[in-house]
């Protein structure tokens, strides 16, 4: 061994008696040595409170002797790697997750040492990522959906860390998007029906109650509905059941029962009905069945029976008739047969 001493310093170089021909050590210091040693064959170990690595072009120590990078083994047993900015404040940290030190974690800090981004992983839930605002609270979260940890989830949060917009893939494999108002209630949802390939969209009031709903039905037809404060639907737009390529519009009363219906009927044009409080039609507007280019208006009694009709005949003449309670015609106004410009009025008996 070689032992060099001087004023307040010492260097000691020694070999060891090892059957495997390893174990050399260099020690620095006058009492508690800083050492570099081969503690096992081809394995080097250092012992010092502070290790500095530098080259001619890059120094890892600033003028205040604060480290730009550090590698540690922390008290809980996992390794830790830190980097530091020119101001000496830690800006990146890599270590183990406190919940399970075998899972990694990355922390990114601002110039004041506040956490700005956080990324970790776990065996059961996979990766997890957070972005934090200057107040230290999460404002964006990315991870696994609770319904299925193999599906993704993103949440955008407010200043109090409440989620106000979320996007995820649900357990059925369908996408889902929602937003919430300042009171935490839903105000918008975009997802699917029971069939994950059929979209559904809803808008909500301040209490989170659905007021507008739009979706694609399994019959491949679109449906749009609006709802009043009492929860009953008051407007419905969709396709007719018999001819799904034709549209229908229902306007309903406070009980959710249609008061007005407009629809397009294949081959016969448009039809409109108004309904009384008992649910029976009382006015109907449509096309003449024998000539769909001519108009037809009907008035109905309380049981939905037609009692008055106004129409344009196939020859272009106007025609008005009324019916008695037995259903037979009792009056008619039209043009005189053979004289289309002359008027004709008929009053019929009980059997029409």
């Amino acid at each position: 061994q070689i032992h060099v001493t001087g004023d307040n310093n010492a260097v000691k170089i020694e070999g060891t008696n090892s059957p495997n021909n390893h174990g050399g050590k260099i020690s620095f210091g006058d009492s508690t040595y800083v050492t570099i040693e081969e503690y096992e064959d081809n394995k080097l170990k250092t012992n010092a409170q502070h290790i500095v690595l530098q080259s001619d072009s890059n120094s890892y120590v600033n003028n205040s002797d604060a480290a730009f990078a550090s590698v540690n083994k922390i008290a809980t047993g996992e390794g830790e790697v830190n980097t530091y900015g020119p101001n000496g404040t830690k800006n990146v940290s890599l270590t183990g997750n406190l919940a399970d030190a075998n899972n990694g974690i990355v922390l990114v800090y601002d110039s004041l040492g506040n956490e700005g981004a956080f990324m970790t992983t776990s065996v059961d839930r996979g990766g997890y990522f957070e972005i934090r605002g200057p107040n230290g609270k999460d404002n964006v979260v990315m991870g696994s959906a609770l319904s299925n940890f193999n599906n993704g989830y993103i949440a955008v949060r407010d200043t109090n860390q409440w989620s106000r917009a979320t996007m995820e893939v649900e357990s059925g494999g369908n996408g889902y998007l929602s937003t919430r108002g300042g009171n935490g209630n839903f105000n918008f949802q975009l997802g699917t029906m029971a069939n994950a390939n059929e979209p559904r969209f809803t808008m909500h009031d301040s209490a989170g109650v659905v007021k507008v709903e739009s979706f694609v039905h399994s019959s491949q037809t679109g449906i749009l509905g609006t709802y009043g404060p009492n929860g009953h639907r008051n407007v419905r737009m969709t396709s007719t059941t018999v001819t799904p390529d034709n549209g229908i519009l229902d306007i309903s009363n406070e009980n959710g029962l249609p008061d007005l219906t407009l629809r397009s009927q294949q081959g016969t044009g448009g039809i409109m009905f108004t309904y009384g409080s008992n649910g029976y039609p009382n006015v109907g507007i449509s096309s003449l069945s024998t000539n769909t280019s001519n108009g037809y208006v009907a008035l109905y009694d309380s049981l939905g029976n037609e009692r008055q009709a106004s129409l344009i005949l196939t020859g272009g003449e106007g025609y008005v008739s009324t019916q008695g309670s037995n259903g037979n015609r009792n009056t008619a106004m039209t043009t005189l047969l053979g004289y289309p410009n002359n008027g004709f009025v008929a009053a019929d008996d009980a059997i029409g």
Side-chain angles (χ1 to χ4, degrees), residues 240 243 246-247 263-271:
T240 61
T243 56
N246 294 76
R263 71 170 184 263
S264 173
Q265 188 161 301
Q266 187 172 3
T268 61
I271 299 176

Side-chain angles (χ1 to χ4, degrees), residues 276-296:
S277 58
N278 61 2
Y280 287 108
N282 50 27
V283 177
I285 301 175
S286 64
S287 301
L288 188 65
S289 60
T290 55
N291 188 335
T292 56
S293 296
N294 291 357
Y296 183 92

Side-chain angles (χ1 to χ4, degrees), residues 182-252:
N183 60 4
N185 292 327
F186 284 116
N187 51 26
F188 170 89
Q189 286 182 298
L190 179 63
T192 64
M193 302 294 288
N195 184 333
N197 296 314
E198 296 166 357
R200 179 177 183 264
F201 159 80
T202 58
M203 295 179 66
H204 306 247
D205 63 14
S206 59
V209 179
V210 175
K211 294 305 176 187
V212 179
E213 179 183 33
S214 179
F215 59 92
V216 176
H217 192 264
S218 58
S219 61
Q220 304 304 307
T221 57
I223 298 178
L224 172 66
T226 65
Y227 298 82
N230 63 3
H232 290 302
R233 186 172 60 194
N234 49 28
V235 176
R236 181 179 72 113
M237 298 172 62
T238 184
S239 301
T240 61
T241 304
V242 178
T243 56
D245 290 321
N246 294 76
I248 185 171
L249 168 66
D250 289 334
I251 300 177
S252 303

Side-chain angles (χ1 to χ4, degrees), residues 85-167:
N87 63 358
T89 301
K90 181 166 58 177
N91 51 26
V92 178
S93 178
L94 291 83
T95 184
N97 192 321
L98 290 177
D100 184 348
N102 293 310
N103 293 320
I105 186 172
V106 178
L107 297 168
V108 181
Y109 302 85
D110 63 19
S111 59
L112 300 177
N114 301 310
E115 290 183 11
F118 169 95
M119 182 169 61
T120 187
T121 186
S122 64
V123 174
D124 57 343
R125 299 218 25 203
Y128 180 81
F129 177 71
E130 292 180 0
I131 296 176
R132 294 174 179 169
N135 62 0
K137 295 183 178 181
D138 305 336
N139 51 27
V140 177
V141 172
M142 300 171 62
S144 301
L146 292 176
S147 59
N148 186 330
F149 293 152
N150 292 312
N151 292 340
Y153 173 87
I154 299 175
V156 181
R157 296 177 173 172
D158 64 13
T159 185
N160 295 315
Q161 203 167 288
W162 293 104
S163 294
R164 295 299 180 232
T166 60
M167 180 170 59

